[in-house]
Amino acid sequence: MAAGAGGAALGRAALATPLVLLYYGFSIGITFYNKWLMKSFPFPLLVTLLHLLLIFALAALARALARCRSGRPRAALSWADCLRRAAPAALSTSLDIGLSNWSFLYVTVSLYTMTKSSAILFIMLFSLLFKLEEMRVTLLLVVLLIAGGLFMFTYKSTQFNTQGFMLVLCASFLGGIRWTLTQILMQKAELGLQNPIDIMFHLQPLMFLGLLPLFLVFEGLHSSISEKLFRFHEAGMLFSLVGKLFLGGILAFGLGFSEFLLVSRTSSLTLSIAGIFKEICILFLATHLLGDRLSLLNWLGFAVCLLGISLHVVLKAMNSKGDKVLEPHKEASSDPDLELLLHHPEQGEEEVVETPQQH
């Protein structure tokens, strides 16, 4: 019996490793890509809108290929259902991504990464409001550690920018709403949006419409008269820009898909743990590649914040053990919807499907 359990654990680890690496590649890649792109093309909201269009096109293509291969109809919600059920999640997601990209005009990758870590505070807050979590003393300790670590990291920071910090903080707040509403949305079996491709396909049009007014107000006129866009003088420069934007859209699609894929094939706990090490990797890369300057107090604050996030992950793992004993395992690989993009694992390697708790 022990040997069987050990084999299953090894099987899950073998499955999770390539998915975690895939998630790392897209997540770390798009963080540094966005920072790099904003230096030469300072229109973050326009970039986000174009990425949303490309993600929608890629999701539609993936749905069509999967439908042709499996012969099964795809989940399809009417506009009325989308507006009633998915609009809040789509709006919070689009604003989260848009403000995050906007902040790269002002903040370093290190400050962005650290501030974005505070999203877990807002996730816990909205989980309490929506009764997805219960108030506990340990939860209060997690909040104090993360908030204290964030304060220590930003206090007398050598590269602190108030405007950029507020943009990231607002994005983190919206990220808390985003993942809470997305969790509720994916748990409604009658909607049929458990598949990452389907939920991405349905959310992108609403996300585009939600972010469009913000773009028109802050970037519409500026972008229309910019020599880097509509008033270009060299076709080569324009084609180069289109290529850069297309690459960003691929990275954005890969990030969204890899997040949902990692969760659906392993668990939200795996994504949470992977997120901790991802932030460490980003911070070290930012200091060595981009020259971000961090004081000893900043590093100590980062350590305290990671301690709070790690404690939250451990508590979630302990609480989920009892639930997994009571609930039967769901066979994630029994659904052929993802077979086009990932080979099925061997039987017995499936894990309970959960939804992500942090980005």
Side-chain angles (χ1 to χ4, degrees), residues 9-68:
L10 288 175
R12 286 193 294 270
L15 172 65
T17 300
L19 297 183
V20 169
L21 292 177
L22 183 68
Y23 165 65
Y24 274 18
F26 284 117
S27 183
I28 296 175
I30 199 170
T31 298
F32 285 90
Y33 161 84
N34 284 334
K35 180 63 178 176
W36 167 75
L37 182 63
M38 290 305 112
K39 293 180 180 179
S40 59
F41 190 72
F43 302 106
L45 299 179
L46 177 59
V47 169
T48 305
L49 288 175
L50 295 176
H51 287 176
L52 294 177
L53 290 177
L54 183 56
I55 292 171
F56 176 74
L58 292 174
L61 178 61
R63 277 166 54 94
L65 292 175
R67 183 173 62 248
C68 292

Side-chain angles (χ1 to χ4, degrees), residues 56 76-87 201-209:
F56 176 74
L77 300 184
S78 65
W79 269 103
D81 284 337
C82 281
L83 290 174
R84 187 172 67 253
R85 304 287 189 90
F201 173 81
H202 284 87
L203 288 184
Q204 302 312 304
L206 296 175
M207 291 169 62
F208 183 91
L209 294 176

Side-chain angles (χ1 to χ4, degrees), residues 92-112:
S92 58
T93 302
S94 63
L95 292 176
D96 175 14
I97 298 173
L99 295 182
S100 295
N101 289 340
W102 197 351
S103 70
F104 278 118
L105 293 176
Y106 309 102
V107 301
T108 61
V109 170
S110 299
L111 181 58
Y112 168 83

Side-chain angles (χ1 to χ4, degrees), residues 59-211:
L61 178 61
R63 277 166 54 94
L65 292 175
R67 183 173 62 248
C68 292
R69 183 168 179 176
S70 67
R72 297 179 57 196
R74 308 298 307 177
L77 300 184
S78 65
W79 269 103
D81 284 337
C82 281
L83 290 174
R84 187 172 67 253
R85 304 287 189 90
L91 180 61
S92 58
T93 302
S94 63
L95 292 176
D96 175 14
I97 298 173
L99 295 182
S100 295
N101 289 340
W102 197 351
S103 70
F104 278 118
L105 293 176
Y106 309 102
V107 301
T108 61
V109 170
S110 299
L111 181 58
Y112 168 83
T113 301
M114 184 63 193
T115 310
K116 209 70 168 72
S117 300
S118 66
I120 193 172
L121 295 176
F122 301 111
I123 291 174
M124 289 187 289
L125 171 64
F126 288 106
S127 294
L128 290 172
L129 292 178
F130 287 98
K131 297 182 179 180
L132 300 175
E133 292 267 9
E134 295 180 1
M135 174 57 76
R136 300 182 301 274
V137 176
T138 51
L139 201 60
L140 180 61
L141 178 60
V142 168
V143 171
L144 292 176
L145 285 172
I146 297 176
L150 180 61
F151 175 78
M152 293 169 65
F153 188 89
T154 56
Y155 181 70
K156 291 186 177 179
S157 176
T158 58
Q159 295 173 294
F160 182 79
N161 182 282
T162 304
Q163 184 176 355
F165 175 73
M166 294 307 299
L167 284 171
V168 186
L169 201 60
C170 289
S172 299
F173 173 80
L174 290 164
I177 303 176
R178 164 194 181 182
W179 282 117
T180 305
L181 294 178
T182 301
Q183 176 177 345
I184 295 173
L185 191 64
M186 293 184 71
Q187 287 178 346
K188 293 184 177 180
E190 69 273 13
L191 297 180
L193 298 182
Q194 287 76 25
N195 184 283
I197 292 296
D198 290 328
I199 195 168
M200 291 169 70
F201 173 81
H202 284 87
L203 288 184
Q204 302 312 304
L206 296 175
M207 291 169 62
F208 183 91
L209 294 176
L211 193 61

Side-chain angles (χ1 to χ4, degrees), residues 305-343:
C305 187
L306 285 186
L307 178 62
I309 296 175
S310 302
L311 177 60
H312 175 68
V313 169
V314 171
L315 294 173
K316 292 290 289 185
M318 294 174 61
N319 292 334
S320 65
K321 285 182 179 179
D323 297 336
K324 290 183 180 180
V325 171
L326 296 175
E327 296 180 2
H329 285 274
K330 301 177 183 178
E331 296 186 356
S333 65
S334 63
D335 183 0
D337 291 342
L338 295 178
E339 65 181 0
L340 186 66
L341 298 163
L342 183 73
H343 292 296

